[in-house]
Amino acid sequence: MNTPRFRQQALESVMNRAPKVVEMPTAKISEYFGSNVFNEDAMRMFLTEDAWFAVRQAIHQGSRIDRKLADQVASGMKEWAASKGATHYTHWFQPLTGTSAEKHDAFFEPIGGGRSIERFDGSMLVQQEPDASSFPNGGIRNTFEARGYTAWDPSSPAFIMGRTLCIPTIFISYTGEALDFKMPLLRAIKAVDEAATAVCQYFDKDVTKVTCTLGWEQEYFLIDEALYHARPDIMMTGRAMFGHLPAKGQQLEDHYFGSIPDRAVAFMRDFETEALKLGIPVKTRHNEVAPNQFECAPVFEELNLAVDHNMLLMDVMEKTARKHHFRVLFHEKPYAGVNGSGKHNNWSLATNTGKNLLRPAKTPKENMLFLAFFVNTIKAIHRHADVLRASIGSAGNDHRLGANEAPPAIISVFIGEHLSNLLDGLEKNIKGAMTPDRKTELKLDIGRIPSVMLDNTDRNRTSPFAFTGNKFEFRAVGSSANCAAAMTVLNTIVAHQLQAFKKSVDALIDKGTKKDEAVLRVLRDLIVESKAIRFEGNGYGEAWKQEAARRGLSNIADTPRALDVWERKETKELFASMGVLTAKELEARHEIELHNYVLKLQIEGRVCGDLAQNHIVPTAIAYQNRLLENVRGLREVLGAEKAKKAGATQVKLIEEISEHVNLIVSLVEEMTEARKKANAVEDTRKKAIAYCDEVKPFLDRIRYHSDKLELLVDDELWPLPKMRELMFTR
Ligand code: ADP
Ligand code: MG
């Protein structure tokens, strides 16, 4: 059991800590940005002409690199890595556990006679066979074929972490199924490229490639390591499962507007320097709304690279935090009652001609292109809202969605007043046959998107999916999530919708309708069909829940049920037809996500029971004993009659404490029974639902009584750092 002394010591050490002095590079950022990345400059220096060309083709055209050239690339990469002091290499991948994984091998190889060489060839670069049986596979790998492969992804450059050369890879089963986040993401990126390029061809023949762009915003909490270690719940689950809300929460919003605390700044500068060396273009840092909550955001990049950089940054942040006696909490809801953390995904599409397809333009012709992508994205969200909802489901995010200043679990799209009016106008005005005059007029309307749009002035922060001037911002993604999960789904549904759009337009053109008119007509239909998903009001309000229900929009509050959509026939067809995930891969993912959910709740259940029974109840009883002694003493000195009055408060406290203690003990017993029952359920979905419905409610109930005890028991005896201490001590 934590002793009260432990809590006091923790608080003291926090207060005595000075910001860590870090040596900062004296050079300008541009001089060390990307210095730990095998980037274009490094490749030009260390690769042969042929190898350099092959890698570039692979990056830009997705072409294969043959074995001989791979040997050359490997050799150059090894030279470069050695020049940076690297001794080991690893395939770096993103299994479905949610974090990144690596297994290091030395370059060094003994060659007999007591001598050795440094070896790293094409085969080691291109493919590895990690011991895959310890990664989640959702039943894809049967036991006698437990092998999995990692395979080089040349589109994301190799980098050096510490003294290890890291090679970004995909992770697949022996039979070729995706076991990671990257493989499906790359497939979705390809699908959207093909579908979007085909649509661009209506308007601009020069467009031959469309890439996705992502700018994520990473929110997180910082906690001092001494406090972290004094809170077993935060250590084990990433969130405070107990603790009465402090008198002051975030209502003053003074943290948001305040300057960043010195220790936090030192930490930020340190991890940002590491990040910049790794080529991660981190640019913005600021306080967030809740106390000790912060945000870091880079300049947007190509999607696959942006995802790798986010995973890498989370890793760098965790490592750097330890040097500063901090821990980073990426959990979506570390502290109930104040803001949780998200990872806003700013998403757009860009052409090889340098155009952002979601940027309204100045001419009607260009705005047809904008409108096509804008309206089709909205339609995709409308049609596949449930799939998008499932992509952000996790045990942690369940606490955040729909709570303090977080988007609700209802998916809707905000586009702002001006674009709403424009779409409403198009809906009304495109009717019947169009005279040439009418067409010109319409096109002029479209051309009148004013440039205020580009200033992001029209904002609604309560929407889960908002258009912010030249991109969509998906805000429901959880702070601990791999962005790839949400981005794979978003790009798949957009690709699917763009394909359907092209089919409809082509059908009209085949019947003799002119291209522009055909496009406008189909867009009009899409605007009408997708109207229900558009919402401009307050997404945090209770009224929206009712309105959304009237509109027939889903509001799925928990992860196990949100994930049901993976089983739907339409979902399987969607992902298979886009070449992103086979039915088998989808089923495996569903199984893994349910399993992860169960594991998280299992741990929470255990931690809750332990803390309640081994820390909280004994503390309450110790205090109760003191009170009992006091009452006995009063009787001895004053006599029974007088003591009755003098000890009335103590007796009442004794009774109250007994009540809460008894309730906690019986609730923990009931929860344990519920867990046993849930554990016995074979079917993973039913098990997850049992945890969600039968186990999870106990966590809140036990907390309620414990938090009451916290208010009754002498502060000196309380063993766990309190919420106010977690949030405000620095
Ligand atoms: P905020 O949402 O905090 O007010 P901004 O709207 O300026 O800030 O930008 C938020 C994020 O959007 C940044 O990470 C930025 O890189 C990203 N972003 C800007 N343009 C694009 C784009 N075309 N595609 C993807 N992300 C973008
Ligand atoms: Mg934002």
Side-chain angles (χ1 to χ4, degrees):
M1 167 179 160
N2 267 358
T3 66
R5 209 163 57 88
F6 196 36
R7 170 175 157 225
Q8 300 309 337
Q9 278 171 348
L11 287 168
E12 259 164 50
S13 42
V14 180
M15 281 179 308
N16 290 331
R17 264 204 245 286
K20 185 178 153 58
V21 183
V22 269
E23 273 237 29
M24 300 305 291
T26 47
K28 280 184 285 191
I29 290 177
S30 55
E31 282 167 39
Y32 61 87
F33 180 73
S35 59
N36 287 341
V37 183
F38 196 52
N39 55 17
E40 296 224 350
D41 285 349
M43 282 193 239
R44 218 174 279 135
M45 209 181 310
F46 285 88
L47 293 187
T48 60
E49 189 87 15
D50 288 351
W52 162 225
F53 185 76
V55 175
R56 273 184 37 145
Q57 289 287 105
I59 296 171
H60 299 295
Q61 261 92 49
S63 55
R64 284 186 166 277
I65 296 177
D66 77 33
R67 189 43 219 280
K68 223 178 93 218
L69 285 170
D71 275 339
Q72 290 183 22
V73 176
S75 151
M77 219 185 248
K78 185 190 74 184
E79 290 308 314
W80 170 76
S83 79
K84 298 263 166 197
T87 54
H88 286 64
Y89 70 94
T90 180
H91 276 197
W92 181 82
F93 57 106
Q94 298 166 30
L96 295 165
T97 47
T99 50
S100 52
E102 39 198 87
K103 172 186 161 243
H104 297 194
D105 282 304
F107 289 126
F108 146 92
E109 200 159 283
I111 50 169
R115 292 181 314 144
S116 68
I117 52 162
E118 314 269 84
R119 196 175 146 233
F120 182 62
D121 63 24
S123 66
M124 293 152 141
L125 166 67
V126 170
Q127 192 171 301
Q128 261 194 357
E129 220 178 288
D131 174 20
S133 50
S134 44
F135 294 106
N137 61 75
I140 277 182
R141 277 189 320 252
N142 34 32
T143 36
F144 55 87
E145 192 40 275
R147 267 185 297 174
Y149 291 109
T150 51
W152 179 33
D153 166 21
S155 63
S156 182
F159 55 90
I160 291 175
M161 277 272 262
R163 300 189 67 182
T164 303
L165 168 70
C166 302
I167 298 149
T169 55
I170 55 166
F171 180 40
I172 51 177
S173 74
Y174 183 66
T175 37
E177 283 93 2
L179 294 174
D180 69 349
F181 284 105
K182 191 191 260 282
M183 181 80 207
L185 181 72
L186 291 173
R187 292 173 184 159
I189 287 172
K190 183 161 173 272
V192 106
D193 173 18
E194 284 168 8
T197 303
V199 169
C200 285
Q201 286 284 313
Y202 284 137
F203 308 97
D204 185 348
K205 295 282 176 214
D206 292 339
V207 175
T208 51
K209 188 173 171 66
V210 171
T211 42
C212 314
T213 51
L214 168 66
W216 39 262
E217 302 166 56
Q218 178 73 54
E219 293 181 333
Y220 61 96
F221 281 81
L222 282 180
I223 178 174
D224 186 274
E225 68 182 9
L227 291 170
Y228 176 85
H229 284 116
R231 288 290 305 227
D233 48 349
I234 298 181
M235 251 172 90
M236 308 300 286
T237 72
R239 73 181 185 101
M241 300 185 63
F242 292 94
H244 202 276
L245 266 191
K248 175 187 164 197
Q250 64 184 39
Q251 62 274 62
L252 297 176
E253 298 210 335
D254 46 358
H255 185 67
Y256 194 45
F257 297 110
S259 60
I260 307 175
D262 291 347
R263 275 186 68 203
V265 173
F267 160 69
M268 289 175 186
R269 289 170 47 140
D270 203 1
F271 87 69
E272 284 169 3
T273 306
E274 281 314 301
L276 290 163
K277 287 183 192 163
L278 287 166
I280 308 172
V282 287
K283 200 171 157 76
T284 326
R285 58 162 97 118
H286 61 81
N287 288 352
E288 265 303 326
V289 182
N292 280 333
Q293 190 190 22
F294 307 93
E295 181 186 295
C296 164
V299 178
F300 70 93
E301 300 178 279
E302 186 279 321
L303 174 54
N304 176 38
L305 190 59
V307 168
D308 282 0
H309 279 169
N310 180 246
M311 294 308 288
L312 199 49
L313 184 81
M314 288 167 78
D315 197 22
V316 170
M317 283 171 75
E318 275 177 339
K319 285 184 178 135
T320 312
R322 284 168 190 250
K323 289 198 254 165
H324 292 254
H325 303 288
F326 277 131
R327 287 292 189 279
V328 191
L329 301 180
F330 286 119
H331 193 285
E332 282 76 11
K333 198 77 178 175
Y335 307 125
V338 297
N339 269 23
S341 300
K343 177 145 51 195
H344 297 178
N345 279 204
N346 295 274
W347 168 88
S348 192
L349 296 168
T351 65
N352 59 309
T353 56
K355 192 178 288 172
N356 174 354
L357 290 170
L358 288 173
R359 176 183 287 278
K362 297 216 166 58
T363 65
K365 182 172 164 268
E366 283 176 300
N367 269 336
M368 286 280 277
L369 184 65
F370 160 72
L371 267 184
F373 282 91
F374 181 65
V375 171
N376 273 291
T377 304
I378 298 172
K379 175 61 194 170
I381 307 296
H382 171 253
R383 178 151 176 212
H384 300 290
D386 287 353
V387 190
L388 202 61
R389 164 68 184 93
S391 77
I392 48 142
S394 70
N397 219 11
D398 279 2
H399 291 288
R400 167 179 169 256
L401 295 180
N404 281 65
E405 301 208 11
I410 309 162
I411 299 287
S412 67
V413 183
F414 169 87
I415 59 172
E417 194 187 340
H418 188 87
L419 286 167
S420 292
N421 291 341
L422 179 75
L423 295 197
D424 291 346
L426 288 177
E427 179 187 335
K428 279 195 212 83
N429 292 331
I430 306 174
K431 276 191 196 131
M434 281 186 227
T435 62
D437 278 0
R438 184 78 201 96
K439 257 183 276 178
T440 316
E441 209 178 301
L442 260 174
K443 281 206 250 165
L444 281 176
D445 269 352
I446 296 169
R448 280 191 211 116
I449 299 174
S451 50
V452 298
M453 272 306 305
L454 306 181
D455 299 336
N456 284 348
T457 41
D458 207 354
R459 285 273 174 131
N460 176 335
R461 300 211 165 259
T462 68
S463 174
F465 199 88
F467 186 70
T468 50
N470 56 2
K471 61 192 180 288
F472 279 100
E473 182 168 340
F474 189 20
R475 304 199 179 107
V477 183
S479 49
S480 70
N482 185 325
C483 306
M487 287 296 107
T488 298
V489 167
L490 179 60
N491 288 293
T492 304
I493 63 180
V494 168
H496 187 252
Q497 176 54 38
L498 287 170
Q499 257 187 13
F501 170 72
K502 176 141 198 312
K503 218 168 144 193
S504 308
V505 173
D506 285 349
L508 284 179
I509 293 175
D510 286 347
K511 278 193 218 136
T513 314
K514 283 271 180 343
K515 186 195 76 193
D516 281 1
E517 187 177 340
V519 167
L520 281 169
R521 278 186 184 290
V522 178
L523 286 180
R524 179 190 179 269
D525 291 345
L526 296 179
I527 291 168
V528 174
E529 287 167 23
S530 61
K531 232 175 156 177
I533 202 81
R534 274 162 48 198
F535 178 61
E536 303 287 304
N538 177 14
Y540 297 165
E542 200 48 42
W544 169 228
K545 284 191 192 160
Q546 288 156 25
E547 166 68 15
R550 267 196 297 279
R551 293 188 188 184
L553 302 180
S554 315
N555 180 8
I556 313 169
D558 60 70
T559 296
R561 289 177 179 87
L563 297 178
D564 278 347
V565 67
W566 297 138
E567 293 295 324
R568 281 192 211 155
K569 198 167 144 268
E570 306 93 83
T571 311
K572 290 183 179 171
E573 277 166 10
L574 163 73
F575 282 93
S577 69
M578 291 294 103
V580 174
L581 287 165
T582 62
K584 194 172 164 196
E585 288 170 322
L586 262 185
E587 276 162 25
R589 246 147 246 264
H590 186 196
E591 178 79 15
I592 291 166
E593 284 170 23
L594 287 168
H595 185 63
N596 285 346
Y597 180 88
V598 168
L599 288 182
K600 288 262 155 72
L601 271 134
Q602 236 165 18
I603 295 170
E604 292 204 341
R606 286 189 198 132
V607 169
C608 172
D610 281 0
L611 273 184
Q613 249 160 346
N614 304 328
H615 298 240
I616 291 152
V617 166
T619 304
I621 291 176
Y623 181 56
Q624 200 184 34
N625 280 338
R626 273 199 201 173
L627 295 169
L628 285 166
E629 238 166 77
N630 176 278
V631 173
R632 249 182 255 122
L634 287 175
R635 269 194 208 136
E636 251 168 57
V637 177
L638 304 175
E641 204 44 46
K642 277 192 183 163
K644 215 178 225 173
K645 201 171 159 213
T649 310
Q650 293 87 316
V651 171
K652 199 168 155 262
L653 264 174
I654 291 167
E655 283 171 359
E656 275 183 58
I657 290 173
S658 288
E659 234 171 79
H660 292 300
V661 163
N662 288 337
L663 278 166
I664 289 178
V665 172
S666 63
L667 284 171
V668 169
E669 270 167 24
E670 279 179 60
M671 177 176 70
T672 310
E673 277 315 303
R675 262 169 47 215
K676 277 189 196 151
K677 252 191 178 162
N679 288 339
V681 178
E682 277 288 325
D683 178 80
T684 318
R685 177 182 177 273
K686 288 192 183 130
K687 183 185 272 187
I689 287 183
Y691 263 97
C692 180
D693 294 355
E694 310 300 332
V695 179
K696 197 169 161 229
F698 282 109
L699 303 178
D700 286 337
R701 291 172 67 195
I702 294 167
R703 176 180 192 154
Y704 173 83
H705 294 288
S706 160
D707 291 357
K708 287 283 174 207
L709 285 175
E710 184 188 316
L711 293 181
L712 299 177
V713 171
D714 184 353
D715 183 70
E716 238 180 45
L717 291 182
W718 199 256
L720 301 169
K722 296 187 171 180
M723 291 283 267
R724 64 160 190 274
E725 293 159 348
L726 297 176
M727 289 201 259
F728 293 102
T729 319
R730 57 173 73 114

